[in-house]
Amino acid sequence: MCGIIGITGSDDTVAALLDGLALLEYRGYDSAGIAIVEPSNTIFRMRAAEQGGSLYHLANGLSKEKAGSLNHTAGIGHTRWATHGAPTVTNAHPHVDCTSALAVVHNGIIENHNRLAQELKSRGHTFSSETDTEVIAHLAEEQIAGGKSVKDAVIALLTILRGAFALALVHRDSPDTIYAARRTSPLIIGSESGVGLLASDVAAMIDKTRNLFELGDDQVAEIRPEEFKVYDHLGVEMQPKPIRVGWSTEAARKGGFPDYMSKEIHEQPTALSETILGRLEASGATYLEELEIEDSRLAAIERVLLVACGSSYHAALAGRHAIEAWAKIPAEVDIASEMRYRAMQIPANTLVVAISQSGETTDTYHAMRQARSQGVITLAVTNVVGSLMTREADGVLYTRAGPEIGVASTKCHIAQLALLQCLALRLADLKGTLSDAEKSAVATEILALPALVEQTLASHEQFRKVAERYAESRDFYYLGRRLGFPVALEGALKLKELAYVRAEAYPAGEMKHGPISLIEPGSVVVVVAKRSSLWEKIMANVEEMRARGATVIAVSDEGDEETASLVDDVLETPPVTEVCSPVIGVLPLQVFAYTVAKAKGHDVDRPRNLAKVVTVE
Ligand code: F6R
């Protein structure tokens, strides 16, 4: 996710940048760095990458070298959530061009960075990092060398760069100016009493000014102490859109939401689109080069074993279906804490996929290591660059959900679901198991998911109202079949961990083999009843529950009156094909659990007895 900050005209540039970075640290903390134009017209740059203390180390270094010495000049800063390249000092922003004439910070993903870097290298540029960002510095250098002003060079970047970006750039020849550009990733600009500012979000700025503006897509800003100007991609001056905020700094960190969990629920469309970005085209083509497992090895895979814990395990259960349906190879799922103590006999040509939001979960890590010791290929799917599992796995795929602060996983779970779909499609491509038309249909549907998630979350109020009616219920049963089952498991886990209420999840067909004895008046059954070929069967199971006095809530398709007529309450979501349905189906259940927990007065960000990273057995 990353956070960027810029300030010009301050009487203590270093202190102002550090203050802003502290407020942006929630967006990532793999490294921190600043660049400031010195009065001698050189760029001063300092960066730090220390686990758990990048900003602290940066501040320490600066206090020794530069405290209070740089003022009224332009500076930029960055706090990193690593996506391309390990969390090291060399990969830390700001990045500079070949001559250190300019420095740049960036939040987002430059989709065409591989091709651009190759071209730049062939023209003699020297790269010093593994990041996608560094191409921006060298491209700007070339444009300026070709005779463009810095502003025009940044405008030219808009047509060269593909992907998402919010970037800020300083140049040694314009000591008081910050140049900024944006597409998709957020960027706010502002000014107050002779100080010009920019930041990734309002939270990092509102203690300095409430005179805030949103830089629009494909716009460039030129920020000086006394004024800022905004241009479109043709260089025509524009009026930026003002932002009105009544939030306190603390509320702004949560994006105006009452807690991190609701903020993260609403960040899910972005988490999804960032995870998919550059990895998938509507044609069905997939780009997962970062995997670093050669295609020939992947093509030889004969089975997949997915291993994980908790919500990641539920994502694995859904991912299995996509792998089987599209790549048509056997896929199994195991709970890491069980798998590691079995006498595992993993056949050769198995791909073991360890899924872990944190990349540090002890059970998953050891299960993955054990699999690796049997000589099979291992792949870590995680949200945290450089985490334990990424250092041991043969290949890594990152979800790009940004830091998840709420203990209960929401946006990371959704990102895992989408990334496993991309992997399934990649395997299908290598195996040749889908026609071009089928690949394209599947890809188009995955690409539509961020907008569908946004559309689903717009029904947040409807989900909340239903949930409030059940805030006092004590016994919940979550049922689903096939792809509805992982959704049921995830919904039940969310209710248990947040609301501290008993919630059992079963494959709906299993109820009659025992658990149905538990059903009595007062039991609440939450059934995942989105339309699929198993809909009639699941509704037959619903009848069995209702006959024994249960109240039934269905996660259904919008406008499905038949389902609505057969249950007591519905949580309506947009229709989607079954393989993509877990991404949509789980959303109302997150809101449901959140609402019940809030009604009980619980802290949803820090549920009792739980930890975000589970490093014990
Ligand atoms: C539930 C939750 C946990 C984690 C589990 C695995 O909301 O967050 O169940 O999914 O502890 O953690 P990771 O994914 O970090 O391995």
Side-chain angles (χ1 to χ4, degrees), residues 309-313 355-361 364 389 404 407-410 416 490 493-494 497 611-614:
C309 305
S311 294
S312 299
Y313 168 72
I355 306 159
S356 171
Q357 172 274 130
S358 60
E360 303 278 340
T361 301
T364 313
M389 286 179 212
E404 193 176 62
V407 165
S409 190
T410 51
Q416 288 169 346
E490 180 62 6
L493 179 60
K494 287 285 149 298
E497 62 185 341
K612 187 70 186 158
V613 183
V614 185

PDB file of all heavy atoms in Angstrom, residues 309-313 355-361 364 389 404 407-410 416 490 493-494 497 611-614, ligand 1:
ATOM      1  N   CYS A 309      -3.986 -22.048   7.817  1.00  0.00           N
ATOM      2  CA  CYS A 309      -4.762 -22.042   9.068  1.00  0.00           C
ATOM      3  C   CYS A 309      -5.853 -20.978   8.979  1.00  0.00           C
ATOM      4  O   CYS A 309      -5.677 -19.969   8.274  1.00  0.00           O
ATOM      5  CB  CYS A 309      -3.907 -21.650  10.259  1.00  0.00           C
ATOM      6  SG  CYS A 309      -2.457 -22.642  10.481  1.00  0.00           S
ATOM      7  N   GLY A 310      -6.912 -21.165   9.743  1.00  0.00           N
ATOM      8  CA  GLY A 310      -7.934 -20.134   9.932  1.00  0.00           C
ATOM      9  C   GLY A 310      -8.533 -19.644   8.628  1.00  0.00           C
ATOM     10  O   GLY A 310      -8.886 -20.410   7.727  1.00  0.00           O
ATOM     11  N   SER A 311      -8.630 -18.319   8.511  1.00  0.00           N
ATOM     12  CA  SER A 311      -9.243 -17.728   7.317  1.00  0.00           C
ATOM     13  C   SER A 311      -8.459 -18.084   6.056  1.00  0.00           C
ATOM     14  O   SER A 311      -9.036 -18.236   4.980  1.00  0.00           O
ATOM     15  CB  SER A 311      -9.281 -16.203   7.448  1.00  0.00           C
ATOM     16  OG  SER A 311     -10.154 -15.845   8.493  1.00  0.00           O
ATOM     17  N   SER A 312      -7.154 -18.211   6.189  1.00  0.00           N
ATOM     18  CA  SER A 312      -6.336 -18.586   5.026  1.00  0.00           C
ATOM     19  C   SER A 312      -6.695 -20.005   4.577  1.00  0.00           C
ATOM     20  O   SER A 312      -6.681 -20.321   3.387  1.00  0.00           O
ATOM     21  CB  SER A 312      -4.851 -18.488   5.367  1.00  0.00           C
ATOM     22  OG  SER A 312      -4.540 -17.169   5.725  1.00  0.00           O
ATOM     23  N   TYR A 313      -6.996 -20.862   5.549  1.00  0.00           N
ATOM     24  CA  TYR A 313      -7.442 -22.223   5.221  1.00  0.00           C
ATOM     25  C   TYR A 313      -8.766 -22.177   4.445  1.00  0.00           C
ATOM     26  O   TYR A 313      -8.967 -22.912   3.481  1.00  0.00           O
ATOM     27  CB  TYR A 313      -7.577 -23.021   6.530  1.00  0.00           C
ATOM     28  CG  TYR A 313      -8.282 -24.347   6.408  1.00  0.00           C
ATOM     29  CD1 TYR A 313      -7.665 -25.427   5.790  1.00  0.00           C
ATOM     30  CD2 TYR A 313      -9.565 -24.521   6.929  1.00  0.00           C
ATOM     31  CE1 TYR A 313      -8.315 -26.653   5.680  1.00  0.00           C
ATOM     32  CE2 TYR A 313     -10.216 -25.733   6.838  1.00  0.00           C
ATOM     33  CZ  TYR A 313      -9.588 -26.797   6.210  1.00  0.00           C
ATOM     34  OH  TYR A 313     -10.239 -28.006   6.100  1.00  0.00           O
ATOM     35  N   ILE A 355      -0.499 -20.862   2.394  1.00  0.00           N
ATOM     36  CA  ILE A 355      -1.199 -19.573   2.345  1.00  0.00           C
ATOM     37  C   ILE A 355      -1.207 -18.967   3.747  1.00  0.00           C
ATOM     38  O   ILE A 355      -1.665 -19.604   4.696  1.00  0.00           O
ATOM     39  CB  ILE A 355      -2.646 -19.777   1.843  1.00  0.00           C
ATOM     40  CG1 ILE A 355      -2.605 -20.520   0.506  1.00  0.00           C
ATOM     41  CG2 ILE A 355      -3.377 -18.449   1.687  1.00  0.00           C
ATOM     42  CD1 ILE A 355      -3.900 -21.201   0.179  1.00  0.00           C
ATOM     43  N   SER A 356      -0.701 -17.755   3.855  1.00  0.00           N
ATOM     44  CA  SER A 356      -0.635 -17.120   5.164  1.00  0.00           C
ATOM     45  C   SER A 356      -0.584 -15.611   4.998  1.00  0.00           C
ATOM     46  O   SER A 356       0.346 -15.092   4.386  1.00  0.00           O
ATOM     47  CB  SER A 356       0.627 -17.594   5.900  1.00  0.00           C
ATOM     48  OG  SER A 356       0.819 -16.847   7.067  1.00  0.00           O
ATOM     49  N   GLN A 357      -1.578 -14.946   5.533  1.00  0.00           N
ATOM     50  CA  GLN A 357      -1.593 -13.477   5.468  1.00  0.00           C
ATOM     51  C   GLN A 357      -0.279 -12.922   5.995  1.00  0.00           C
ATOM     52  O   GLN A 357       0.365 -12.121   5.334  1.00  0.00           O
ATOM     53  CB  GLN A 357      -2.803 -12.991   6.288  1.00  0.00           C
ATOM     54  CG  GLN A 357      -2.898 -11.506   6.513  1.00  0.00           C
ATOM     55  CD  GLN A 357      -2.098 -11.046   7.722  1.00  0.00           C
ATOM     56  OE1 GLN A 357      -1.324 -10.116   7.613  1.00  0.00           O
ATOM     57  NE2 GLN A 357      -2.235 -11.699   8.856  1.00  0.00           N
ATOM     58  N   SER A 358       0.140 -13.379   7.171  1.00  0.00           N
ATOM     59  CA  SER A 358       1.329 -12.819   7.823  1.00  0.00           C
ATOM     60  C   SER A 358       2.622 -13.388   7.255  1.00  0.00           C
ATOM     61  O   SER A 358       3.669 -12.753   7.358  1.00  0.00           O
ATOM     62  CB  SER A 358       1.283 -13.120   9.320  1.00  0.00           C
ATOM     63  OG  SER A 358       1.254 -14.533   9.506  1.00  0.00           O
ATOM     64  N   GLY A 359       2.550 -14.587   6.722  1.00  0.00           N
ATOM     65  CA  GLY A 359       3.772 -15.261   6.260  1.00  0.00           C
ATOM     66  C   GLY A 359       4.623 -15.753   7.422  1.00  0.00           C
ATOM     67  O   GLY A 359       5.764 -16.188   7.229  1.00  0.00           O
ATOM     68  N   GLU A 360       4.084 -15.673   8.643  1.00  0.00           N
ATOM     69  CA  GLU A 360       4.882 -16.007   9.829  1.00  0.00           C
ATOM     70  C   GLU A 360       4.235 -17.108  10.670  1.00  0.00           C
ATOM     71  O   GLU A 360       4.810 -17.511  11.683  1.00  0.00           O
ATOM     72  CB  GLU A 360       5.043 -14.764  10.733  1.00  0.00           C
ATOM     73  CG  GLU A 360       5.675 -13.548  10.079  1.00  0.00           C
ATOM     74  CD  GLU A 360       7.192 -13.594  10.025  1.00  0.00           C
ATOM     75  OE1 GLU A 360       7.781 -14.357  10.799  1.00  0.00           O
ATOM     76  OE2 GLU A 360       7.772 -12.876   9.192  1.00  0.00           O
ATOM     77  N   THR A 361       3.013 -17.522  10.330  1.00  0.00           N
ATOM     78  CA  THR A 361       2.297 -18.488  11.174  1.00  0.00           C
ATOM     79  C   THR A 361       3.130 -19.769  11.323  1.00  0.00           C
ATOM     80  O   THR A 361       3.459 -20.428  10.333  1.00  0.00           O
ATOM     81  CB  THR A 361       0.923 -18.797  10.557  1.00  0.00           C
ATOM     82  OG1 THR A 361       0.213 -17.566  10.471  1.00  0.00           O
ATOM     83  CG2 THR A 361       0.134 -19.778  11.389  1.00  0.00           C
ATOM     84  N   THR A 364       1.876 -23.137   9.690  1.00  0.00           N
ATOM     85  CA  THR A 364       1.937 -23.166   8.226  1.00  0.00           C
ATOM     86  C   THR A 364       3.384 -23.215   7.749  1.00  0.00           C
ATOM     87  O   THR A 364       3.736 -23.930   6.811  1.00  0.00           O
ATOM     88  CB  THR A 364       1.221 -21.923   7.649  1.00  0.00           C
ATOM     89  OG1 THR A 364      -0.042 -21.785   8.310  1.00  0.00           O
ATOM     90  CG2 THR A 364       0.980 -22.054   6.160  1.00  0.00           C
ATOM     91  N   MET A 389       8.033 -17.204   5.593  1.00  0.00           N
ATOM     92  CA  MET A 389       7.736 -18.220   4.566  1.00  0.00           C
ATOM     93  C   MET A 389       8.332 -17.856   3.219  1.00  0.00           C
ATOM     94  O   MET A 389       8.741 -18.718   2.456  1.00  0.00           O
ATOM     95  CB  MET A 389       6.229 -18.398   4.427  1.00  0.00           C
ATOM     96  CG  MET A 389       5.651 -19.145   5.596  1.00  0.00           C
ATOM     97  SD  MET A 389       3.875 -19.302   5.402  1.00  0.00           S
ATOM     98  CE  MET A 389       3.418 -19.250   7.095  1.00  0.00           C
ATOM     99  N   GLU A 404      -2.968  -5.112   7.238  1.00  0.00           N
ATOM    100  CA  GLU A 404      -4.284  -5.387   7.838  1.00  0.00           C
ATOM    101  C   GLU A 404      -4.094  -5.244   9.345  1.00  0.00           C
ATOM    102  O   GLU A 404      -3.345  -6.010   9.952  1.00  0.00           O
ATOM    103  CB  GLU A 404      -4.736  -6.797   7.465  1.00  0.00           C
ATOM    104  CG  GLU A 404      -6.184  -7.073   7.752  1.00  0.00           C
ATOM    105  CD  GLU A 404      -6.571  -8.453   7.252  1.00  0.00           C
ATOM    106  OE1 GLU A 404      -6.000  -9.458   7.734  1.00  0.00           O
ATOM    107  OE2 GLU A 404      -7.435  -8.547   6.381  1.00  0.00           O
ATOM    108  N   VAL A 407      -7.491  -7.511  13.845  1.00  0.00           N
ATOM    109  CA  VAL A 407      -6.983  -8.883  14.040  1.00  0.00           C
ATOM    110  C   VAL A 407      -7.734  -9.872  13.150  1.00  0.00           C
ATOM    111  O   VAL A 407      -7.149 -10.796  12.587  1.00  0.00           O
ATOM    112  CB  VAL A 407      -7.050  -9.269  15.543  1.00  0.00           C
ATOM    113  CG1 VAL A 407      -6.898 -10.764  15.736  1.00  0.00           C
ATOM    114  CG2 VAL A 407      -5.954  -8.530  16.300  1.00  0.00           C
ATOM    115  N   ALA A 408      -9.026  -9.702  13.008  1.00  0.00           N
ATOM    116  CA  ALA A 408      -9.797 -10.629  12.164  1.00  0.00           C
ATOM    117  C   ALA A 408      -9.553 -10.299  10.689  1.00  0.00           C
ATOM    118  O   ALA A 408      -9.726  -9.161  10.262  1.00  0.00           O
ATOM    119  CB  ALA A 408     -11.277 -10.498  12.491  1.00  0.00           C
ATOM    120  N   SER A 409      -9.156 -11.303   9.957  1.00  0.00           N
ATOM    121  CA  SER A 409      -8.801 -11.060   8.552  1.00  0.00           C
ATOM    122  C   SER A 409     -10.043 -10.767   7.704  1.00  0.00           C
ATOM    123  O   SER A 409     -11.048 -11.467   7.793  1.00  0.00           O
ATOM    124  CB  SER A 409      -8.082 -12.295   8.012  1.00  0.00           C
ATOM    125  OG  SER A 409      -7.532 -11.991   6.761  1.00  0.00           O
ATOM    126  N   THR A 410      -9.967  -9.722   6.909  1.00  0.00           N
ATOM    127  CA  THR A 410     -11.056  -9.407   5.975  1.00  0.00           C
ATOM    128  C   THR A 410     -10.460  -9.194   4.587  1.00  0.00           C
ATOM    129  O   THR A 410     -10.560 -10.047   3.711  1.00  0.00           O
ATOM    130  CB  THR A 410     -11.841  -8.158   6.420  1.00  0.00           C
ATOM    131  OG1 THR A 410     -10.912  -7.086   6.687  1.00  0.00           O
ATOM    132  CG2 THR A 410     -12.681  -8.418   7.643  1.00  0.00           C
ATOM    133  N   GLN A 416      -6.581 -13.154  -0.959  1.00  0.00           N
ATOM    134  CA  GLN A 416      -6.106 -14.542  -1.138  1.00  0.00           C
ATOM    135  C   GLN A 416      -7.004 -15.293  -2.114  1.00  0.00           C
ATOM    136  O   GLN A 416      -6.531 -16.020  -2.990  1.00  0.00           O
ATOM    137  CB  GLN A 416      -6.125 -15.287   0.208  1.00  0.00           C
ATOM    138  CG  GLN A 416      -5.055 -14.854   1.181  1.00  0.00           C
ATOM    139  CD  GLN A 416      -5.271 -15.418   2.570  1.00  0.00           C
ATOM    140  OE1 GLN A 416      -6.354 -15.928   2.911  1.00  0.00           O
ATOM    141  NE2 GLN A 416      -4.251 -15.321   3.414  1.00  0.00           N
ATOM    142  N   GLU A 490     -15.984 -19.390   6.933  1.00  0.00           N
ATOM    143  CA  GLU A 490     -15.416 -18.059   7.192  1.00  0.00           C
ATOM    144  C   GLU A 490     -16.421 -17.182   7.942  1.00  0.00           C
ATOM    145  O   GLU A 490     -16.058 -16.451   8.869  1.00  0.00           O
ATOM    146  CB  GLU A 490     -14.978 -17.417   5.860  1.00  0.00           C
ATOM    147  CG  GLU A 490     -14.367 -16.034   5.974  1.00  0.00           C
ATOM    148  CD  GLU A 490     -13.084 -15.964   6.796  1.00  0.00           C
ATOM    149  OE1 GLU A 490     -12.552 -16.998   7.210  1.00  0.00           O
ATOM    150  OE2 GLU A 490     -12.639 -14.823   7.047  1.00  0.00           O
ATOM    151  N   LEU A 493     -16.481 -18.350  11.519  1.00  0.00           N
ATOM    152  CA  LEU A 493     -15.263 -17.953  12.240  1.00  0.00           C
ATOM    153  C   LEU A 493     -15.322 -16.473  12.620  1.00  0.00           C
ATOM    154  O   LEU A 493     -14.981 -16.095  13.742  1.00  0.00           O
ATOM    155  CB  LEU A 493     -14.023 -18.242  11.376  1.00  0.00           C
ATOM    156  CG  LEU A 493     -12.683 -17.845  11.995  1.00  0.00           C
ATOM    157  CD1 LEU A 493     -12.428 -18.585  13.306  1.00  0.00           C
ATOM    158  CD2 LEU A 493     -11.531 -18.110  11.029  1.00  0.00           C
ATOM    159  N   LYS A 494     -15.795 -15.652  11.698  1.00  0.00           N
ATOM    160  CA  LYS A 494     -15.877 -14.218  11.982  1.00  0.00           C
ATOM    161  C   LYS A 494     -16.808 -13.989  13.183  1.00  0.00           C
ATOM    162  O   LYS A 494     -16.507 -13.183  14.055  1.00  0.00           O
ATOM    163  CB  LYS A 494     -16.402 -13.437  10.762  1.00  0.00           C
ATOM    164  CG  LYS A 494     -15.410 -13.307   9.631  1.00  0.00           C
ATOM    165  CD  LYS A 494     -14.344 -12.287   9.951  1.00  0.00           C
ATOM    166  CE  LYS A 494     -12.990 -12.572   9.342  1.00  0.00           C
ATOM    167  NZ  LYS A 494     -12.243 -13.746   9.665  1.00  0.00           N
ATOM    168  N   GLU A 497     -15.058 -15.283  16.489  1.00  0.00           N
ATOM    169  CA  GLU A 497     -13.911 -14.540  17.005  1.00  0.00           C
ATOM    170  C   GLU A 497     -14.258 -13.107  17.397  1.00  0.00           C
ATOM    171  O   GLU A 497     -13.634 -12.541  18.279  1.00  0.00           O
ATOM    172  CB  GLU A 497     -12.729 -14.576  16.034  1.00  0.00           C
ATOM    173  CG  GLU A 497     -12.990 -13.954  14.693  1.00  0.00           C
ATOM    174  CD  GLU A 497     -11.817 -14.112  13.718  1.00  0.00           C
ATOM    175  OE1 GLU A 497     -10.696 -14.369  14.148  1.00  0.00           O
ATOM    176  OE2 GLU A 497     -12.062 -13.948  12.502  1.00  0.00           O
ATOM    177  N   ALA A 611      -4.347 -13.121  18.519  1.00  0.00           N
ATOM    178  CA  ALA A 611      -3.205 -12.306  18.072  1.00  0.00           C
ATOM    179  C   ALA A 611      -3.212 -12.258  16.565  1.00  0.00           C
ATOM    180  O   ALA A 611      -3.693 -13.179  15.915  1.00  0.00           O
ATOM    181  CB  ALA A 611      -1.903 -12.926  18.555  1.00  0.00           C
ATOM    182  N   LYS A 612      -2.676 -11.193  16.024  1.00  0.00           N
ATOM    183  CA  LYS A 612      -2.652 -11.040  14.561  1.00  0.00           C
ATOM    184  C   LYS A 612      -1.677 -12.030  13.929  1.00  0.00           C
ATOM    185  O   LYS A 612      -1.931 -12.560  12.867  1.00  0.00           O
ATOM    186  CB  LYS A 612      -2.268  -9.598  14.217  1.00  0.00           C
ATOM    187  CG  LYS A 612      -2.372  -9.262  12.738  1.00  0.00           C
ATOM    188  CD  LYS A 612      -3.811  -9.210  12.260  1.00  0.00           C
ATOM    189  CE  LYS A 612      -3.960  -9.026  10.779  1.00  0.00           C
ATOM    190  NZ  LYS A 612      -5.280  -9.499  10.308  1.00  0.00           N
ATOM    191  N   VAL A 613      -0.563 -12.234  14.575  1.00  0.00           N
ATOM    192  CA  VAL A 613       0.421 -13.175  14.030  1.00  0.00           C
ATOM    193  C   VAL A 613       0.590 -14.297  15.042  1.00  0.00           C
ATOM    194  O   VAL A 613       0.916 -14.045  16.204  1.00  0.00           O
ATOM    195  CB  VAL A 613       1.770 -12.468  13.785  1.00  0.00           C
ATOM    196  CG1 VAL A 613       2.766 -13.438  13.148  1.00  0.00           C
ATOM    197  CG2 VAL A 613       1.576 -11.246  12.886  1.00  0.00           C
ATOM    198  N   VAL A 614       0.359 -15.535  14.607  1.00  0.00           N
ATOM    199  CA  VAL A 614       0.347 -16.643  15.557  1.00  0.00           C
ATOM    200  C   VAL A 614       1.649 -17.434  15.420  1.00  0.00           C
ATOM    201  O   VAL A 614       1.786 -18.281  14.533  1.00  0.00           O
ATOM    202  CB  VAL A 614      -0.891 -17.538  15.344  1.00  0.00           C
ATOM    203  CG1 VAL A 614      -0.958 -18.612  16.417  1.00  0.00           C
ATOM    204  CG2 VAL A 614      -2.160 -16.688  15.366  1.00  0.00           C
TER     205      VAL A 614
HETATM  206  C1  F6R B   1      -9.246 -15.047  11.343  1.00  0.00           C
HETATM  207  C2  F6R B   1      -7.808 -14.951  11.198  1.00  0.00           C
HETATM  208  C3  F6R B   1      -7.008 -16.152  11.484  1.00  0.00           C
HETATM  209  C4  F6R B   1      -5.830 -16.274  10.524  1.00  0.00           C
HETATM  210  C5  F6R B   1      -4.930 -17.448  10.945  1.00  0.00           C
HETATM  211  C6  F6R B   1      -3.808 -17.651   9.958  1.00  0.00           C
HETATM  212  O1  F6R B   1      -9.879 -13.832  11.093  1.00  0.00           O
HETATM  213  O2  F6R B   1      -7.282 -13.913  10.847  1.00  0.00           O
HETATM  214  O3  F6R B   1      -7.777 -17.304  11.441  1.00  0.00           O
HETATM  215  O4  F6R B   1      -6.330 -16.469   9.242  1.00  0.00           O
HETATM  216  O5  F6R B   1      -4.394 -17.218  12.208  1.00  0.00           O
HETATM  217  O6  F6R B   1      -3.024 -16.517   9.869  1.00  0.00           O
HETATM  218  P1  F6R B   1      -2.114 -16.271   8.630  1.00  0.00           P
HETATM  219  O7  F6R B   1      -2.969 -16.089   7.444  1.00  0.00           O
HETATM  220  O8  F6R B   1      -1.306 -15.052   8.963  1.00  0.00           O
HETATM  221  O9  F6R B   1      -1.239 -17.498   8.491  1.00  0.00           O
END
